[in-house]
Amino acid sequence: MKLWKMKIVSPVLCVLCFLLLLPFVLSGCHGSRGMAEFVMPETFDTTRNYEITFWAKNDTNKAQTKVYEKAIADFEELYPNITVNLRLYTDYGKIYNDVITNISTGTTPNVCITYPDHIATYLTGTNVVVPLDTLMADTEYGLGGSALLFDGPAQDEIVPQFLSEGIIGGTQYALPYMRSTEACYVNKTFVEKLGYTLPDALTWDFIWEVSAAAAEQDADGTYFVNGQKVMIPFIYKSTDNMMIQMLRQQNADYSTEAGEILLFNDTTEAILYDVAAATGKGAFSTFKISSYPANFLNAGQCIFAIDSTAGATWMGTDAPLCDIAEENLVSFETVVMEIPQYDTENPQMISQGPSVCIFNKDDPQEVLASWLFMQFLLTDDVQIGYAQTEGYVPVTTKAQDSDVYQDYLSRAGEDNETYYKTKIEASRLLLDNIDNTFVTPVFSGSASLRDAAGQLIESVTKSIRRKETVDDAYMEKLFADTASLYRLDSAGGVSVSGDGEDLGPLPTASVILLSVLGGTWVCILAYLVRQKIKTRKKSEN
Amino acid sequence: MKKILALLLACVLAFACVGCGGSDEGAADVKSEGVMTYAEYTAAALDTQVVIEAYVQAKQSWWENQATVYAQDKDGAYFLYNMACSEEDYAKLTPGTKIKVTGYKAEWSGEVEIIDATFEIQEGSYIAEALDVTALLGTDELIKHQNEFVSFKGLTIEAITDADGVEHDFLYNWDGSGEDGSDLYFNVSVNGATYQFTVESYLCGAGTEVYEAVKALKVGDKIDAEGFLYWYEGVNPHITKVTAAQ
């Protein structure tokens, strides 16, 4: 009798357990990975004090850290109730790693310089990054808003191409902070010494041809062009950009907007064969394999150095920044040119540079304080000040068109510091080509795809240097290995919406809860079946 | 009695051998089959495969299953850059640990290193004594000791200038653009010449004894220093210890 009671009670208990656990299950699932959605406060509460952290990236450049420090001081003067704590980084990758670590502990910074590719990964947490659309549109505290204590840009004063780069999955998650592209810094003296004339626009054929000519040595191993034992005619700093731009210029596949991986294609293979051929002639190398292009360029050991326009202060005989010994500097004429193109009538180059995002917090007022500071980074003083530190370009037309910035541009070559000619020419290169810039689709996994694109070039270059055979079989294996290494081999890639995303094994707590739920339903069904049988037996009797 | 004595001697011999095996101090550096001597490694061309055996002297960093390590045998030193290494194995790479490394010889801005390497832990232990290279500073001889654990004696701290032309005792980053936790740069003079030393933040970050000691240095202080003879466009010692000059 006792046993029978137990059997009846158990399913009832299970149902009760299920009902009791249900709210916890639901809230647990939500709370474990995210925060409540940010809701815009009606007003900014200036009676309270706020302390926000700003993780900023600089190029190991004191002038840039000074711009950040001045921006913070100026902002705190306007908003004495907001204290901004600056943490400096010199590497986007380190910021990314630290953000990932701090998301799990709920200690993200308030405002952070970052790449949209990285934000796409941050977004896999719930409400981790604050969507900016509502903030931007707010008439009081939004872009150009009436309650702002500074003269910030209106939305239509941010360069549209740059602004659109912060849209992920249809939502604005980042604002541009600075923009740059890549430039080819050319030792014109050596090009002409080799008997060539620089064209108006560089082509890949021209670069490969001149580089091969520059790699000619005498029997003693001395290069004819520079009389030295070292010459790497063509060095590319960022091989991921190199592959991405070469594909784009040929209208070849890379990925879809939704995150389908299309990198491993015939055009990619053809590019890699070109890289292999040039490397085999001693005409090409990369930053990862050899070192900074600027070091070789300035020592007269490189003719075509492709690097960011934000690296312009390191380029050329008279560069204000230089890592090599003075006695190793070689005098030559530096020319800043667009990166080589397949179709010079339709030039295409990457848009890059720091963006800025806001991380969500429990206190909406703190988020609003972060948003105010974020906007302040787009004011003219900050924009122009930072743009002058390197070959960057302000992201607002308001700053670009200002008298101060136009005066700065007009004074190229006045000195080798603020008005360093190569630096200002690099900025001009981007200003003249804003309509020719592009960005790659952003989705969770796009950062890995970018790494993979560069790794293909690095791998082929290393293999040729190591006298390995680079043929169709090699390419097939390289594609498979690279796809596997960067986890790009799952069909469809990974979309930011999470469709098809592998979220890994369930947490133990979830497994236990789901087991309890499953067990409960089994008990209920067993009880119902038993009742049914019992009823039938009674009726049969 | 003779049998007991013989047994006793045999036991003593066995224990002596085991005792020697615990540390390779003073023993000749005998390489395994197929492993290069340091001389053979030095003679190997860049971009060729190399196989070496050496002893971990210091670990610089680990990230995404890649470890950067200073290693040394009794003839010379090796910089193992981004060597494939699990986090679990990284923990095993304590100073003195013997490892067999297979990778490719490379050069980056003057720093000769082994890249794309794998390793296996072997029996044996050796920790190098710091070689005093003070007299070699400024000479062509110094590069022969690249990556070795070295010492410098009788250095005087000199002012170092930031990007704004302001003099400091030390700088965060080469131009003063960093903050606590960044690499430290400081100048020292000896034998009439001035050299720039670095406390590499991945090797010895904020909070380590050397990092805090260098932050406390003042121009004019006399110090001795130890570290690894790293190279970047010239000698760029990565300092791991500073003490008041003896």
Side-chain angles (χ1 to χ4, degrees), chain A residues 236-254:
Chain A
Y236 216 114
K237 170 80 184 302
S238 167
T239 42
D240 42 6
N241 276 346
M242 180 180 180
M243 176 59 81
I244 288 166
Q245 289 171 123
M246 291 175 95
L247 289 171
R248 179 73 168 221
Q249 289 173 9
Q250 296 179 81
N251 202 26
D253 287 333
Y254 173 68

Side-chain angles (χ1 to χ4, degrees), chain A residues 120-141:
Chain A
T121 306
Y122 307 155
L123 288 173
T124 51
T126 308
N127 296 321
V128 169
V129 185
V130 177
L132 302 177
D133 301 279
T134 308
L135 286 162
M136 288 163 61
D138 191 87
T139 52
E140 287 180 276
Y141 300 103

Side-chain angles (χ1 to χ4, degrees), chain A residues 80-228:
Chain A
N81 60 323
I82 304 175
T83 301
V84 181
N85 297 315
L86 175 66
R87 181 169 172 186
L88 292 168
Y89 287 84
T90 55
D91 186 328
Y92 288 106
K94 185 81 166 60
I95 295 181
Y96 174 72
N97 295 335
D98 281 4
V99 167
I100 293 293
T101 305
N102 281 272
I103 285 175
S104 59
T105 55
T107 50
T108 52
N110 294 86
V111 182
C112 188
I113 297 280
T114 190
Y115 278 154
D117 272 333
H118 293 169
I119 295 173
T121 306
Y122 307 155
L123 288 173
T124 51
T126 308
N127 296 321
V128 169
V129 185
V130 177
L132 302 177
D133 301 279
T134 308
L135 286 162
M136 288 163 61
D138 191 87
T139 52
E140 287 180 276
Y141 300 103
L143 293 165
S146 59
L148 299 178
L149 303 181
F150 52 85
D151 184 19
Q155 184 160 339
D156 61 3
E157 289 176 313
I158 300 176
V159 176
Q161 290 94 328
F162 299 160
L163 186 61
S164 66
E165 291 165 22
I167 297 172
I168 304 170
T171 302
Q172 188 91 40
Y173 281 105
L175 291 182
Y177 172 59
M178 278 293 129
R179 280 296 174 267
S180 60
T181 185
E182 286 187 330
C184 187
Y185 303 90
V186 185
N187 182 329
K188 185 183 177 191
T189 310
F190 280 177
V191 170
E192 291 177 349
K193 189 175 176 184
L194 287 163
Y196 292 91
T197 303
L198 276 176
D200 291 337
L202 290 172
T203 63
W204 287 102
D205 285 344
F206 182 82
I207 289 256
W208 298 134
E209 185 180 333
V210 178
S211 297
E216 297 287 331
Q217 296 167 274
D218 66 15
D220 189 35
T222 301
Y223 290 90
F224 292 115
V225 70
N226 66 354
Q228 300 187 46

Side-chain angles (χ1 to χ4, degrees), chain A residues 60-62 65-66 87-88 97 287-292 295 321 323-324 462 465-466, chain B residues 47 63 104 107-109 115-116 162-164 173-179 202 232-233:
Chain A
T60 319
N61 184 323
K62 192 167 172 62
T65 62
K66 283 164 70 178
R87 181 169 172 186
L88 292 168
N97 295 335
F287 158 73
K288 283 186 181 171
I289 291 170
S290 296
S291 188
Y292 290 97
N295 291 353
L321 302 177
D323 263 352
I324 64 171
K462 279 183 188 171
R465 291 167 69 99
R466 293 171 187 173
Chain B
D47 299 311
W63 184 252
Y104 288 87
E107 182 181 344
W108 201 88
S109 269
I115 63 169
D116 297 332
D162 71 15
D164 296 328
N173 287 344
W174 65 274
D175 64 344
S177 62
E179 58 187 1
Y202 287 134
Y232 174 71
E233 300 294 342

Side-chain angles (χ1 to χ4, degrees), chain A residues 335-530:
Chain A
V335 178
V336 183
M337 301 187 75
E338 295 162 17
I339 59 161
Q341 302 287 328
Y342 286 99
D343 175 7
T344 55
E345 296 299 309
N346 180 29
Q348 299 202 54
M349 60 198 72
I350 202 142
S351 171
Q352 57 184 13
S355 293
V356 61
C357 71
I358 301 175
F359 286 98
N360 198 12
K361 300 291 168 189
D362 291 332
D363 179 5
Q365 290 286 341
E366 186 181 328
V367 175
L368 185 52
S370 307
W371 165 243
L372 294 175
F373 179 68
M374 186 189 199
Q375 282 188 85
F376 191 76
L377 294 174
L378 301 189
T379 54
D380 285 1
D381 269 7
V382 182
Q383 284 290 303
I384 295 168
Y386 203 94
Q388 289 183 358
T389 65
E390 265 298 354
Y392 281 118
V393 163
V395 297
T396 67
T397 51
K398 186 180 170 74
Q400 285 179 11
D401 297 340
S402 69
D403 291 343
V404 176
Y405 189 66
Q406 288 301 315
D407 175 65
Y408 161 74
L409 292 176
S410 71
R411 297 170 69 178
E414 274 191 15
D415 62 29
N416 287 328
E417 297 292 335
T418 305
Y419 304 108
Y420 180 51
K421 186 166 171 278
T422 299
K423 177 185 67 167
I424 294 180
E425 284 178 353
S427 296
R428 276 201 181 281
L429 186 151
L430 176 54
L431 288 166
D432 293 343
N433 281 284
I434 287 176
D435 290 338
N436 298 323
T437 63
F438 71 94
V439 290
T440 49
V442 174
F443 49 89
S444 179
S446 57
S448 292
L449 176 60
R450 162 174 275 277
D451 290 343
Q455 188 56 46
L456 292 173
I457 290 175
E458 301 289 348
S459 294
V460 165
T461 307
K462 279 183 188 171
S463 291
I464 292 293
R465 291 167 69 99
R466 293 171 187 173
K467 317 289 185 210
E468 294 169 9
T469 301
V470 172
D471 57 11
D472 291 352
Y474 172 95
M475 291 293 182
E476 195 175 331
K477 184 172 185 309
L478 175 67
F479 280 12
D481 289 350
T482 307
S484 172
L485 180 65
Y486 292 94
R487 298 177 184 181
L488 304 172
D489 38 7
S490 57
V494 184
S495 75
V496 84
S497 62
D499 295 340
E501 186 176 353
D502 178 12
L503 297 172
L506 279 173
T508 309
S510 303
V511 172
I512 292 168
L513 286 168
L514 287 171
S515 302
V516 168
L517 286 173
T520 305
W521 282 109
V522 168
C523 290
I524 291 168
L525 285 172
Y527 173 73
L528 291 173
V529 169
R530 189 186 173 87

